[in-house]
Amino acid sequence: MKAAFINKYGGPDVIEYGELPDPKVNSNDVLVRVKAASVNELDGVVRIGGYKQFVKKFPHILGIDFSGVVEKVGSNVKNISEGERVMGYPIIHDNSCEFCKSGMEHLCLSLAIVGREIDGSYAQLISVPSGNVIQTNLGYVQAAASQLSLLTAWHALTKRVQLKQGMKVFIWGGSGGVGTFAIQIAKLLGAEVITAAGEDWKVSKLKELGTDFVINYKEQDVVGEVMKYTGGKGCDLVFDSIAPGGTLSTSVRMVKKGGTMIVLGTGVKESDLISINLRIFYVNYITMHGTLAGSKKDLLEATRLIRDGKIKPVVDSVMKLEEVREAHRKLDEGKKFGKIILDTS
Ligand SMILES: [Zn+2]
């Protein structure tokens, strides 16, 4: 099969495109003929070696999200049949730990991620445990775009916090995969959305997406603008998905008294760890939640919103699998709005 993989860590140019053996299908696995894969920030972290402790061997195929058709199922697989259209659920889980038993596979004690611990979706075929596919009626591009990013945004805004009508929420990284979903979900729930971008074309697109107030962070003081917009009070919620966490110390200054922060990305290196002013934190009675992906039930709920047309994946571009280096360059340089999709057919 054709695949995009790495044999060493580094920039976009370390990604190779070529022939690799078809994956093995164990008794609990499902082999999927991949039609589309999406590019995630996490793929970039794997590529640069941010997850060396999880990657087991080279060549390693990148890619978390995928959609396609089931080509073969292992002898123990009962929940899915050959020929079905499926999309991925990115969290590999054991179904037996205390978290899995309470429907929180994303906190599994033996958690692994497709495209990190095992070969990923930048390929014509992928073999994953049967718990990592979900039947879908969405189109291939739509389905590939609506996985880890959608799951993360939906779980964060509806399970970790309960976003309500009229709340003011600041969303960092509004132009990204998670951000474009988070903005739409927050609007759907009746919140007032504020975000920031560094380029005028992104500011325009963020307004088109329904954002109420967009700050150009290269030209304006973000905290000052947020305070002006909120009448000096600050936001009910700040959604911080920027990795490394260079925005956290700003976020804490934009939360209103008694407000909430939700944090979903702080980088992977020691040097990415930053400090925040705890004095502001306790004096303003702030609650901070960490969040990571979401459960399979969350993904099913969120994809129903896509099916019903209530939100839509924002697709920056669809590129051929062999253009994967260019796709990662766009990812690294932030020259994208929403999701980049790789056509693997
Ligand atoms: Zn588990």
Side-chain angles (χ1 to χ4, degrees):
M1 65 168 183
K2 291 277 190 251
F5 50 90
I6 54 170
N7 271 306
K8 60 179 177 182
Y9 297 116
D13 289 343
V14 301
I15 309 176
E16 298 175 45
Y17 171 75
E19 198 69 33
L20 284 182
D22 290 356
K24 286 197 191 108
V25 188
N26 295 321
S27 56
N28 294 317
D29 291 346
V30 173
L31 181 72
V32 176
R33 169 90 29 201
V34 182
K35 300 288 186 181
S38 86
V39 176
N40 281 288
E41 300 286 341
L42 208 146
D43 303 338
V45 178
V46 172
R47 190 202 73 217
I48 62 170
Y51 286 128
K52 278 179 186 160
Q53 68 274 38
F54 302 117
V55 175
K56 296 192 174 77
K57 46 109 194 130
F58 284 143
H60 175 77
I61 303 172
L62 298 169
I64 299 164
D65 298 337
F66 62 92
S67 59
V69 177
V70 176
E71 186 139 314
K72 192 175 170 187
V73 298
S75 53
N76 293 340
V77 176
K78 306 283 178 249
N79 63 327
I80 209 101
S81 317
E82 287 166 20
E84 284 188 293
R85 181 187 288 223
V86 291
M87 61 189 281
Y89 170 67
I91 307 297
I92 300 167
H93 50 285
D94 58 16
N95 279 324
S96 59
C97 77
E98 64 195 86
F99 291 105
C100 285
K101 281 180 181 163
S102 55
M104 294 192 286
E105 302 93 347
H106 56 295
L107 297 181
C108 181
L109 294 175
S110 20
L111 178 145
I113 302 177
V114 174
R116 195 178 72 172
E117 280 85 346
I118 68 168
D119 275 330
S121 57
Y122 291 9
Q124 291 177 313
L125 291 166
I126 186 171
S127 177
V128 290
S130 60
N132 291 93
V133 291
I134 294 174
Q135 289 165 266
T136 184
N137 293 320
L138 299 179
Y140 295 126
V141 169
Q142 244 189 345
S146 308
Q147 288 171 40
L148 182 61
S149 301
L150 171 63
L151 176 63
T152 302
W154 177 251
H155 179 78
L157 293 175
T158 63
K159 306 296 160 66
R160 294 303 276 150
V161 295
Q162 275 79 45
L163 201 55
K164 293 193 180 77
Q165 184 86 24
M167 281 185 169
K168 290 185 175 65
V169 53
F170 184 95
I171 296 173
W172 283 109
S175 310
V178 176
T180 47
F181 279 122
I183 289 169
Q184 294 180 76
I185 292 165
K187 289 303 296 175
L188 187 69
L189 297 171
E192 210 169 308
V193 178
I194 311 163
T195 188
E199 286 102 27
D200 289 341
W201 68 273
K202 286 187 178 173
V203 171
S204 306
K205 280 185 170 290
L206 286 162
K207 285 180 181 162
E208 280 167 30
L209 198 59
T211 311
D212 296 283
F213 182 50
V214 189
I215 300 161
N216 186 326
Y217 65 79
K218 287 189 182 156
E219 294 167 4
Q220 295 168 293
D221 165 41
V222 177
V223 177
E225 291 299 316
V226 165
M227 285 305 169
K228 250 190 271 172
Y229 185 83
T230 57
K233 289 184 178 167
C235 295
D236 297 279
L237 173 70
V238 177
F239 179 96
D240 197 324
S241 64
I242 301 287
T247 47
L248 274 182
S249 55
T250 307
S251 296
V252 75
R253 291 159 55 218
M254 302 196 296
V255 185
K256 77 172 193 186
K257 202 164 233 191
T260 307
M261 288 169 68
I262 190 151
V263 179
L264 44 143
T266 53
V268 290
K269 303 190 294 288
E270 273 304 302
S271 58
D272 293 334
L273 300 175
I274 53 108
S275 48
I276 62 170
N277 188 333
L278 279 181
R279 196 170 299 139
I280 301 176
F281 191 76
Y282 84 83
V283 166
N284 283 339
Y285 216 65
I286 294 169
T287 304
M288 178 154 48
H289 294 279
T291 192
L292 182 145
S295 68
K296 208 185 291 181
K297 187 165 166 276
D298 291 325
L299 185 57
L300 288 168
E301 284 170 8
T303 49
R304 249 173 248 144
L305 300 175
I306 308 270
R307 184 199 63 194
D308 297 344
K310 292 187 174 159
I311 57 172
K312 61 176 179 12
V314 176
V315 176
D316 173 87
S317 45
V318 180
M319 301 173 81
K320 293 200 173 79
L321 183 57
E322 53 262 50
E323 296 175 298
V324 60
R325 287 181 174 184
E326 186 51 33
H328 269 241
R329 256 175 234 124
K330 281 183 90 167
L331 176 76
D332 282 11
E333 292 165 8
K335 288 183 179 162
K336 66 173 190 75
F337 188 82
K339 302 290 295 178
I340 299 174
I341 304 296
L342 297 171
D343 178 353
T344 53
S345 59

